[in-house]
Amino acid sequence: MTCDPRHALSEKDGALCIEQVPLNQIASQFGTPCYVYSAATLRTQYQQLAQALSPMNARIHYSVKANSNLSILALFKDLGAGFDIVSGGELSRVLTVGGDPADVIFSGVGKSVEEIDLALKVGIGCFNVESHGELSRIEARAQLAQVRAPVSIRVNPNVDAKTHPYISTGLKSNKFGVDAASALTLYGHAASSRTLYITGVDCHIGSQIADDGPLLEALDSILELVDSLEERGISLEHINLGGGFGVRYQDEVAMDLDAYGARLQQRLGSRSNLLCVEPGRSLTANAGLLLTQVEYLKTAQDGSKGFAVVDAAMNDLLRPSLYQAWHDVVVVNPPDKTTLAQTWDIVGPICESSDFLAKDRQLSLDEESLIAILSSGAYGMSLASNYNTRGRAAEVLVDGTEVKCIRRRETIQDQLRFELPL
Ligand code: LLP
């Protein structure tokens, strides 16, 4: 049995527990598949980052897309976080938990008229503007609403974040942000507008970044731009460096946040701008796991390995299929010692060969096995779908000895109610 304090897992009286609660008890009470989160880990991750940034005038905006459950948002709000959002839907979630819209940063390349109108109406803290067209649209909508729109330009510094290509966002070839020269032009326009007001500059170069080198390289080019703006009489309230701090899934070394904080401080020197960051994964990934039950065991026709067909699938946790992501696998109730370990693929019931949660794992399993797929707290449930008309999993939050269902399992009625009869 693996005990891993990284995930708030430990063994008590022979049972694998998250915080104080046995995982098999959670499975019996709420069924499987089920996402389970540790409130203590969420708090610790937040506080460690806050501590690393504390020597500076800094603010954490939790990136809602990583895990947008209302209870998780409420937990971060109570810890003092602002939010980073990418849709009107995410904005509504933040408002639902009583988040202050002034503490919300609206990112994303494709903000619709409706989303911009909603953000202006509630008094969004800042739009991270990603193109000339978007700046014009925000200006026009703000004029119509007779309000002023707070804007910050997202700069793409052309820095390689050295991460999976699907989650790399800071290269010239990516759709995000604008280059520094275009940013100067956009700032010039915003400065001369009576409807727009400039709040800051923004940059996010990717996700699951292993070391802070690329982040600091991006900061250097942002600071050059900040200085050029100062020379033109444009001063910024904040510098937003985005998220992307890498975590440990397998054998990676998680980014050293204290060292990063110290290097940021050194680079920022005596500047008075507020420093903003937008972490998602680093706050939630290792705070969550996906509990799933084995349905059947079968052997590959070539005899090379076994397939453990479980009740969770790629619709519940897409990361392995989409990014070839690794998630550690733990058997919650190992069979007796006579069952030998062998090589298993953990696969779901979906009709695709890409439907796997883990490949080639040495495990002792039987058909009663309850399995935990670790490090699933970020981009797990938020990427889930109803593919194969599967209801999405339940979500449970554990806090010490307390267990709370924070999203009930979807029923077939939930899915069918959107569809209209012929
Ligand atoms: N800010 C912006 C503008 C972003 O686009 C993102 C993530 C973040 C902040 C938060 O980044 P984080 O701290 O979580 O790395 N689905 C992928 C990850 C996609 C990340 C998209 N943007 C995965 O499962 O690995």
Side-chain angles (χ1 to χ4, degrees):
M1 201 172 283
T2 304
C3 299
D4 192 338
R6 190 170 27 127
H7 311 279
L9 291 180
S10 64
E11 195 183 319
K12 287 188 189 73
D13 305 325
L16 186 61
C17 297
I18 183 163
E19 301 199 24
Q20 309 300 317
V21 184
L23 287 172
N24 56 12
Q25 180 189 312
I26 296 175
S28 317
Q29 196 175 346
F30 301 99
T32 54
C34 176
Y35 275 101
V36 186
Y37 309 115
S38 154
T41 310
L42 292 167
R43 289 192 199 103
T44 306
Q45 292 306 113
Y46 182 89
Q47 279 153 354
Q48 279 175 356
L49 178 61
Q51 179 64 33
L53 301 178
S54 63
M56 289 163 284
N57 178 21
R59 180 132 183 78
I60 299 173
H61 292 260
Y62 170 61
S63 191
V64 172
K65 64 172 83 66
N67 187 321
S68 48
N69 184 286
L70 295 177
S71 298
I72 306 277
L73 300 185
L75 182 146
F76 285 128
K77 182 189 78 119
D78 291 347
L79 289 170
F83 296 96
D84 158 60
I85 59 153
V86 287
S87 70
E90 287 189 350
L91 176 54
S92 300
R93 284 183 175 273
V94 171
L95 297 175
T96 302
V97 299
D100 183 351
D103 284 336
V104 178
I105 292 173
F106 195 166
S107 308
V109 290
K111 299 174 192 77
S112 69
V113 165
E114 293 75 19
E115 288 174 326
I116 291 168
D117 287 351
L118 173 66
L120 288 171
K121 183 169 155 217
V122 301
I124 197 89
C126 167
F127 289 98
N128 280 342
V129 176
E130 307 226 13
S131 62
H132 173 73
E134 183 190 333
L135 190 67
S136 306
R137 183 182 274 185
I138 291 172
E139 187 176 22
R141 301 310 298 179
Q143 258 162 13
L144 208 64
Q146 297 187 326
V147 292
R148 292 187 80 203
V151 294
S152 154
I153 307 297
R154 176 166 177 179
V155 177
N156 182 331
N158 195 27
V159 167
D160 185 355
K162 300 191 177 72
T163 183
H164 191 285
Y166 290 3
I167 54 177
S168 188
T169 53
L171 289 172
K172 262 190 192 154
S173 53
N174 298 131
K175 67 181 173 183
F176 300 98
V178 298
D179 62 72
S182 309
L184 278 177
T185 310
L186 295 184
Y187 277 113
H189 175 80
S192 65
S193 163
R194 274 190 291 172
T195 311
L196 302 171
Y197 70 92
I198 297 167
T199 57
V201 61
D202 166 62
C203 159
H204 170 82
I205 60 169
S207 194
Q208 185 57 4
I209 299 171
D211 73 58
D212 60 16
L215 291 167
L216 295 169
E217 203 185 316
L219 172 63
D220 288 341
S221 55
I222 293 289
L223 292 181
E224 251 179 61
L225 176 67
V226 171
D227 292 340
S228 310
L229 289 168
E230 287 283 348
E231 282 162 21
R232 291 166 165 76
I234 299 173
S235 53
L236 305 180
E237 283 164 29
H238 74 253
I239 296 175
N240 181 348
L241 297 179
F245 315 137
V247 305
R248 184 169 161 200
Y249 285 99
Q250 185 179 7
D251 49 13
E252 309 93 324
V253 178
M255 220 179 90
D256 182 342
L257 295 174
D258 288 326
Y260 176 56
R263 289 193 265 266
L264 279 180
Q265 195 182 1
Q266 195 186 18
R267 284 220 178 23
L268 290 168
S270 58
R271 291 171 193 269
S272 59
N273 318 77
L274 173 69
L275 172 73
C276 299
V277 289
E278 301 171 350
R281 186 194 311 272
S282 59
L283 302 186
T284 57
N286 281 320
L289 56 84
L290 176 61
L291 262 188
T292 179
Q293 180 70 49
V294 169
E295 298 276 13
Y296 305 102
L297 297 179
K298 62 187 281 190
T299 306
Q301 282 181 36
D302 64 3
S304 60
K305 58 182 162 189
F307 293 113
V309 184
V310 297
D311 63 4
M314 65 191 286
N315 76 299
D316 299 300
L317 180 63
L318 188 59
R319 303 193 70 258
S321 318
L322 191 56
Y323 314 109
Q324 300 76 48
W326 174 282
H327 288 260
D328 279 343
V329 171
V330 173
V331 184
V332 175
N333 54 347
D336 66 42
K337 296 213 162 32
T338 57
T339 308
L340 297 178
Q342 65 169 90
T343 308
W344 295 101
D345 280 5
I346 312 294
V347 301
I350 283 181
C351 305
E352 295 212 24
S353 292
S354 61
D355 180 25
F356 58 88
L357 301 174
K359 283 198 160 182
D360 297 322
R361 304 302 171 92
Q362 277 297 115
L363 298 166
S364 303
L365 293 178
D366 64 17
E367 289 197 336
E368 306 301 311
S369 293
L370 177 65
I371 288 176
I373 313 284
L374 304 188
S375 310
S376 310
Y379 307 107
M381 186 62 173
S382 61
L383 272 172
S385 76
N386 290 121
Y387 188 38
N388 278 204
T389 309
R390 289 169 49 84
R392 275 175 293 182
E395 290 179 290
V396 165
L397 182 66
V398 174
D399 194 357
T401 54
E402 238 180 80
V403 190
K404 239 181 30 201
C405 179
I406 56 172
R407 191 181 203 271
R408 69 161 172 78
R409 183 176 309 287
E410 277 178 10
T411 63
I412 185 62
Q413 288 76 21
D414 291 330
Q415 288 190 65
L416 297 186
R417 85 195 139 118
F418 299 111
E419 291 177 40
L420 306 172
L422 269 182

